[in-house]
Amino acid sequence: MILIKNIPSLQHLLSSYKTQGKSIGFVPTMGALHEGHLSLINESKENSDITVCSIFINPVQFNDMVDFKKYPRTPEKDILMLEQANTDVLFFPSVSDIYPKGTENESAYDLGEIEHLLEGKFRPGHFQGVCRVIQQLINIVEPDTLYLGQKDYQQCLVIKKFLKEYPVEVSVCATKREENGLALSSRNMRLSDSDKINAAALFKSLQYIADNYKETDMDELIKNAKTIIESNGFSSIDYVEICDKETLQPVRGSNYSAKAVALAAAHLNGVRLIDNMLIDQA
Ligand code: AMP
């Protein structure tokens, strides 16, 4: 694996691959890597000639600076994991590489209503920050394919929409989970072993919704899903919602569709966890 910290060296290397006609797959991450990240690397390795991973904890997507400071950082372990996964290139830029003019926001992107729903409601400005870093990284790497995890469902929708005019394909990969259903997440490092058992309630609540989904009683489903979460030690729930797969508008009444997505975010011992599940009752 080639580890590169600065943009000119990365672009020099990538342009030599591109002139050889090699396709570039790109996996952006914030480090503290786990098997979920590696599944994206593997997907890229299967479908692209060269796999580039980036590790960059993007300060502008955190609306809470305490959360940013507490974000797990395990660079040595990350490098080992990426080497073992035969990643071709690791890009490890600094904040000043990505934001040479500083992190202050110049102008906002028009991301539509989806920006303000669910995650956007609880993390104002989050998707503006996500799109800022994606724009920078895509302009630097110029990949053929961007590999994202369904784990961050709303992020996938926002990025797909944002990159509509860019010559890059977006590939969304399935969520990797612990045996008990808990979605792998860098934030799980801050959970104790017993927390991890309780944390699976988030998955179980979504599974409950998917198993019992039908046109009526949507509010009842959500109420019962919340009870599953609350009775497993979660201190608060930001949301549990059943939404249209594309717009993320709540699926109710005339908006009902046999296909939908259930999404949830909740706090367990100071750690905010999110998860989602696609529903198909067609
Ligand atoms: P992050 O480092 O949290 O920014 O995540 C980097 C990428 O890995 C994003 O596209 C995530 O959606 C994806 N990802 C995170 N957790 C998982 C998981 N459990 N399974 C699959 N992909 C994941």
Side-chain angles (χ1 to χ4, degrees), residues 178 182-191 196 271 273:
E178 303 270 9
L182 172 64
L184 299 186
S185 164
S186 304
R187 292 172 194 272
N188 294 359
M189 286 180 193
R190 292 173 45 213
L191 297 174
K196 281 185 189 164
V271 183
L273 300 173

Side-chain angles (χ1 to χ4, degrees), residues 27-40 54 56 61 71 147-153 155-156 159 173-177 182-187:
V27 181
T29 80
M30 297 206 297
L33 301 182
H34 50 67
E35 289 296 324
H37 295 111
L38 294 189
S39 71
L40 270 55
S54 66
F56 179 68
Q61 74 184 65
Y71 199 83
Y147 294 90
L148 301 175
Q150 190 202 313
K151 161 76 173 31
D152 298 279
Y153 189 87
Q155 171 170 284
C156 292
I159 291 177
C173 308
T175 303
K176 280 273 169 192
R177 300 178 179 280
L182 172 64
L184 299 186
S185 164
S186 304
R187 292 172 194 272

Side-chain angles (χ1 to χ4, degrees), residues 7-20:
I7 297 170
S9 306
L10 179 73
Q11 289 184 319
H12 181 72
L13 177 70
L14 295 183
S15 72
S16 77
Y17 291 135
K18 286 171 193 168
T19 46
Q20 292 168 45

Side-chain angles (χ1 to χ4, degrees), residues 42-61:
N42 290 336
E43 192 69 21
S44 171
K45 286 202 65 75
E46 268 178 35
N47 296 291
S48 302
D49 296 324
I50 298 291
T51 294
V52 180
C53 176
S54 66
I55 295 181
F56 179 68
I57 305 181
N58 177 31
V60 307
Q61 74 184 65

Side-chain angles (χ1 to χ4, degrees), residues 17 26 33 50 75 77 103 115 131 170 191 196 252 262 265 267:
Y17 291 135
F26 180 42
L33 301 182
I50 298 291
K77 186 171 162 244
T103 53
E115 175 191 356
C131 288
V170 177
L191 297 174
K196 281 185 189 164
R252 298 285 188 286
H267 299 256

Side-chain angles (χ1 to χ4, degrees), residues 171-219:
S171 174
V172 176
C173 308
T175 303
K176 280 273 169 192
R177 300 178 179 280
E178 303 270 9
E179 242 170 66
N180 68 4
L182 172 64
L184 299 186
S185 164
S186 304
R187 292 172 194 272
N188 294 359
M189 286 180 193
R190 292 173 45 213
L191 297 174
S192 68
D193 286 347
S194 64
D195 284 343
K196 281 185 189 164
I197 294 169
N198 284 334
L202 205 58
F203 166 77
K204 285 176 187 145
S205 72
L206 298 171
Q207 187 76 67
Y208 164 79
I209 291 175
D211 288 347
N212 295 283
Y213 182 72
K214 51 184 183 302
E215 190 167 349
T216 52
D217 290 340
M218 217 77 85
D219 293 332

